[in-house]
Amino acid sequence: MVQREKRMAEEQGHCCAVCKAHQDQFKRSLHMDHNPLTGKARALLCPRCNQTLGRVKDDPELLRSLAAYLDKHK
């Protein structure tokens, strides 16, 4: 892990920035998330949250629509 990632992991308490799950819960390490348009690093995410953002192409409207769908079908 590079210095920036180590520092970020410490700042995040070694937890995913989205779901707050601790690094110890995963076989793989936390992933550095990047803004796909700027390439700028955002935070460390667990594999599940990182893959989810990739699958929805960082589209907040799609995420809101998914959340509304889940709320509707509780």
Side-chain angles (χ1 to χ4, degrees):
M1 200 181 271
V2 293
Q3 274 307 86
R4 178 174 58 167
E5 288 180 33
K6 284 182 182 180
R7 186 178 64 249
M8 200 175 273
E10 289 174 9
E11 290 171 359
Q12 291 179 210
H14 300 274
C15 295
C16 173
V18 175
C19 72
K20 310 301 185 210
H22 192 272
Q23 168 67 56
D24 292 344
Q25 294 179 269
F26 305 99
K27 292 179 184 177
R28 298 182 355 209
S29 62
L30 295 175
H31 299 267
M32 178 63 74
D33 178 49
H34 295 86
N35 180 311
L37 300 176
T38 66
K40 184 179 176 185
R42 296 191 281 206
L44 296 173
L45 303 180
C46 72
R48 181 182 56 204
C49 289
N50 191 48
Q51 290 171 1
T52 299
L53 281 181
R55 287 188 174 124
V56 299
K57 297 182 172 44
D58 286 17
D59 182 348
E61 274 307 307
L62 180 54
L63 287 171
R64 283 189 276 277
S65 181
L66 284 166
Y69 172 84
L70 291 174
D71 285 339
K72 179 180 177 180
H73 296 285
K74 285 184 180 177

